[in-house]
Amino acid sequence: TQLLEQSPQFLSIQEGENLTVYCNSSSVFSSLQWYRQEPGEGPVLLVTVVTGGEVKKLKRLTFQFGDARKDSSLHITAAQPGDTGLYLCAGDSDSNYQLIWGAGTKLIIKP
Amino acid sequence: GAGVSQSPRYKVAKRGQDVALRCDPISGHVSLFWYQQALGQGPEFLTYFQNEAQLDKSGLPSDRFFAERPEGSVSTLKIQRTQQEDSAVYLCASSPRGTSTDTQYFGPGTRLTVL
């Protein structure tokens, strides 16, 4: 069974600090997606990583896919209150349509 | 904008009532997904449609849950004889093709509270 574990479950930090959240599995994924979900809204795709070792940057957000394609990380530099939300990772499953979802990291950035 | 819309946004039901949740996907999107999301958790897959065909309903928790997409666009998730454990946010997502690398576009969800 493919599982994705996200850590930490909850993180509360001050504006301006840096942080890293993780998405780990014992299974290999062909691709991983990162979503951010704000309260009262649905998840919104941030990035898709498909190549082992790949690094993608989205402004202050840096996403990395592990060399073995079993894990991924999201690093935020100089966090801002607007980064507050639930960060979810999702990987492709054995089916060709279904995603395996992590439980998410709830991030709060205090002004 | 022509995003995914869901209605109602909030629904309160008494235990035992039937409810119907509606999803309007992005026009032209082939695939439609329903998810259940508990507070602070990731989405849990319920069911998947490709056009009007329901190809996977393995995530539906019980036979009280029923979903349809008769014309390949709007979808309805129906829950019969609601129970307290059905309380959750129900998310709908659509994607252009439905492959696992496709972007899924989510609606805002319907928050169901069963009293």
Side-chain angles (χ1 to χ4, degrees), chain A residues 33 37 40 42 45 92 96-97 99, chain B residues 9 37 56 98-100 103 107:
Chain A
Q33 300 179 358
Q37 184 177 21
L45 180 69
D92 61 302
N96 65 354
Y97 55 86
L99 293 174
Chain B
R9 290 293 311 273
Q37 187 176 30
D56 188 341
T99 62
S100 57
T103 299

Side-chain angles (χ1 to χ4, degrees), chain A residues 2-29:
Chain A
Q2 294 176 294
L3 291 173
L4 281 169
E5 294 186 357
Q6 292 192 243
S7 61
Q9 288 184 309
F10 179 78
L11 184 60
S12 178
I13 63 172
Q14 292 294 138
E15 181 178 3
E17 294 184 10
N18 302 330
L19 66 107
T20 303
V21 298
Y22 301 91
C23 174
N24 296 311
S25 177
S26 58
S27 304
V28 175
F29 289 91

Side-chain angles (χ1 to χ4, degrees), chain A residues 14 29 37-38 47-49 55-57 60 72 82 91 100:
Chain A
Q14 292 294 138
F29 289 91
Q37 184 177 21
E38 298 183 23
V47 77
T48 301
V49 286
V55 176
K56 281 192 173 179
K57 293 193 174 185
R60 294 175 292 100
S72 182
I100 305 296

Side-chain angles (χ1 to χ4, degrees), chain A residues 33 35 43-45 90 97-99 101, chain B residues 4 26 29 31-35 43 45 48 92-96 98-107:
Chain A
Q33 300 179 358
Y35 290 78
V44 175
L45 180 69
Y97 55 86
Q98 199 178 133
L99 293 174
W101 291 84
Chain B
V4 178
I26 294 173
H29 276 196
S31 295
L32 186 144
F33 301 81
W34 282 100
Y35 294 92
F45 171 81
Y48 164 66
C92 172
S94 70
S95 65
T99 62
S100 57
T101 54
D102 235 6
T103 299
Q104 292 191 19
Y105 297 85
F106 284 82

